Amino acid sequence: MGALDKYIKGCGVEAVDHVLMLALGDLKSRALRYLLTAVAIGVGVALLVALTAVSDATRAYVEQTLYKVYPADIMMYSDSINIPQRLVDLLQRNPAVSGAEGIIITTGVVNGQVVSIVGIPLRDVDYFAIDLKEGRLPSSGGEAVVEESLAARPGDTITIKVYSGALGGERTVTVKVVGVMRSFLRGFIGAFRLNLVVVPLDWLQEELGAGPFVNAVLITLRDKGYVTPFYKTLKETFRDAQVYTQEALLNTVSQVFNALNFVFTVISAAALATAAVTTFAVMSITARERLREFGLLKAVGISSSDIVVSVAVEVALLSVAAGIAGAALGFYGATLVKQILIGMGVNFDVPIEFKLRYIALALSASLAVALAGAASPLYRVAKLRPIEILQLWR
């Protein structure tokens, strides 16, 4: 049954019913063509949702990890081990400070691998949120927790060549592994691997001959309103040290992901543009094939707006179906790719969670693409007069 017959039979029905009947009738008669259009739109939407889901999951994972390993509001860092422990003691007694921890961060080499050595005070070891995979935390000098990337096990002994910077020369230290921690930012690969070795602070100071000095201080304040004045005071007082705020670090992370999202948007836009061109081609062909039908409808008194709306409804129904399918395909596709990467040995263990906004994103994108592609054919249909349409079919 053609769309015109459906309309004639429904003459006594409301205008909305006429529009829907016209749209559904045409969708059925051109099912294969519309299916291919829906596939083109769905693929573009799926790519958009997949890239957005991966970006959101990665950003959340990085921020959560940074909050754990960098719980302080302010960090003061020096390339040399020259920050006196008494400064840390003074900060701890400041009424505006809820916590101040002095640590040493330096580098070394183990079997050709560059490692990051971190000396932390054992009395507050829980402050640093070490994510143990096996074994235990160090309890005395010479014991260490190492990152799993070093492939060491509890009970192993490793020798580290330490570059002690301003203290001069190269020193060699030997540690006994008592625990293995999960990799820092384990959702990333290669370049983000730190190969951490965590040891007691006092032991590391003694081994390096650093005395009562550290090169990093983590400061937590009782009120976030103190962050800016404290930051400015530290910057002005300790000009040889670098001072960072947690907010600035997180802003840097946001900037990186904003740039990444821009790249993802460009990639998705290319796929969606292809879908828009496909929609334009299909709707142009469809409008051409139905010119006589449109002419007869106008001749019996059906307004151009009703005809245009009926075609727009076809496009909307098509785009909604493509959008929903694309949202599901994009989310599960991202999850599948993650599992494939993990199976290939790539560290990308980032939790990907479904969010309702992905459906809204998919539907808005599919509607925009479909209507953009159909706009020109719809305009042509609206402007044609019945006599012009019939003349085209002589």
Side-chain angles (χ1 to χ4, degrees):
M1 184 181 295
L4 179 59
D5 294 330
K6 288 182 181 238
Y7 176 77
I8 293 173
K9 285 192 173 184
C11 286
V13 188
E14 295 291 336
V16 173
D17 293 331
H18 295 286
V19 168
L20 288 173
M21 290 168 67
L22 284 168
L24 291 173
D26 189 58
L27 282 173
K28 183 178 179 181
S29 63
R30 296 170 175 83
L32 180 58
R33 184 184 299 166
Y34 284 150
L35 176 62
L36 294 176
T37 307
V39 168
I41 297 174
V43 169
V45 168
L47 181 60
L48 175 64
V49 171
L51 293 177
T52 302
V54 169
S55 177
D56 286 351
T58 307
R59 180 198 294 262
Y61 175 75
V62 171
E63 290 181 349
Q64 290 171 8
T65 302
L66 288 177
Y67 274 122
K68 287 182 180 179
V69 300
Y70 182 20
D73 296 307
I74 299 174
M75 182 175 77
M76 185 168 63
Y77 173 79
S78 174
D79 293 328
S80 303
I81 305 175
N82 59 1
I83 302 175
Q85 183 65 43
R86 65 176 179 273
L87 170 63
V88 180
D89 298 335
L90 286 173
L91 287 170
Q92 290 174 341
R93 291 196 292 269
N94 190 303
V97 176
S98 63
E101 298 291 345
I103 63 175
I104 290 178
I105 305 174
T106 188
T107 58
V109 176
V110 175
N111 297 327
Q113 285 184 287
V114 177
V115 298
S116 299
I117 308 161
V118 182
I120 63 176
L122 292 183
R123 68 180 184 279
D124 293 326
V125 68
D126 291 339
Y127 174 84
F128 298 94
I130 296 175
D131 189 7
L132 274 180
K133 181 178 181 181
E134 58 178 319
R136 61 175 175 82
L137 296 174
S139 59
S140 62
E143 294 183 341
V145 170
V146 302
E147 198 170 358
E148 60 185 343
S149 56
L150 290 175
R153 300 292 301 276
D156 291 350
T157 299
I158 60 176
T159 300
I160 311 172
K161 290 183 179 180
V162 182
Y163 302 110
S164 51
L167 294 175
E170 177 186 295
R171 297 170 185 264
T172 300
V173 299
T174 301
V175 298
K176 179 181 179 181
V177 177
V178 296
V180 177
M181 64 186 293
R182 291 179 177 84
S183 293
F184 173 73
L185 289 180
R186 62 182 181 276
F188 291 89
I189 60 175
F192 293 92
R193 185 170 291 163
L194 296 180
N195 297 325
L196 290 174
V197 177
V198 180
V199 296
L201 174 62
D202 55 355
W203 176 84
L204 185 60
Q205 288 172 323
E206 182 179 349
E207 289 293 313
L208 298 181
F213 292 88
V214 295
N215 70 337
V217 182
L218 302 176
I219 306 165
T220 305
L221 302 172
R222 298 185 186 279
D223 189 326
K224 297 297 183 183
Y226 298 143
V227 172
T228 299
F230 245 85
Y231 168 78
K232 290 181 178 178
T233 300
L234 290 172
K235 286 277 289 185
E236 293 171 358
T237 306
F238 300 95
R239 297 184 181 276
D240 292 336
Q242 303 167 55
V243 184
Y244 308 94
T245 65
Q246 186 186 73
E247 182 181 1
L249 183 60
L250 292 175
N251 285 340
T252 300
V253 171
S254 294
Q255 291 174 7
V256 171
F257 278 98
N258 288 340
L260 183 64
N261 286 339
F262 176 77
V263 174
F264 286 171
T265 300
V266 171
I267 295 173
S268 301
L272 292 172
T274 301
V277 171
T278 302
T279 304
F280 169 77
V282 168
M283 295 311 299
S284 294
I285 294 171
T286 300
R288 176 70 183 177
E289 290 177 346
R290 298 178 65 190
L291 282 178
R292 178 176 289 178
E293 180 182 338
F294 292 151
L296 291 175
L297 289 173
K298 287 189 175 186
V300 297
I302 305 304
S303 67
S304 294
S305 61
D306 282 346
I307 295 174
V308 169
V309 169
S310 73
V311 179
V313 168
E314 296 175 18
V315 177
L317 291 173
L318 183 72
S319 64
V320 168
I324 294 174
L329 179 63
F331 173 73
Y332 288 109
T335 303
L336 177 62
V337 169
K338 166 193 160 181
Q339 296 302 325
I340 292 174
L341 290 174
I342 293 174
M344 294 171 60
V346 178
N347 289 325
F348 195 73
D349 192 12
V350 176
I352 299 177
E353 299 179 355
F354 186 79
K355 299 179 181 179
L356 288 177
R357 75 180 186 88
Y358 295 157
I359 296 179
L361 176 65
L363 289 177
S364 60
S366 60
L367 279 169
V369 166
L371 292 177
S376 179
L378 288 176
Y379 179 79
R380 290 179 57 199
V381 169
K383 290 298 181 181
L384 283 174
R385 292 179 297 175
I387 188 64
E388 293 174 336
I389 296 173
L390 295 176
Q391 286 176 349
L392 292 173
W393 289 85
R394 286 181 176 178

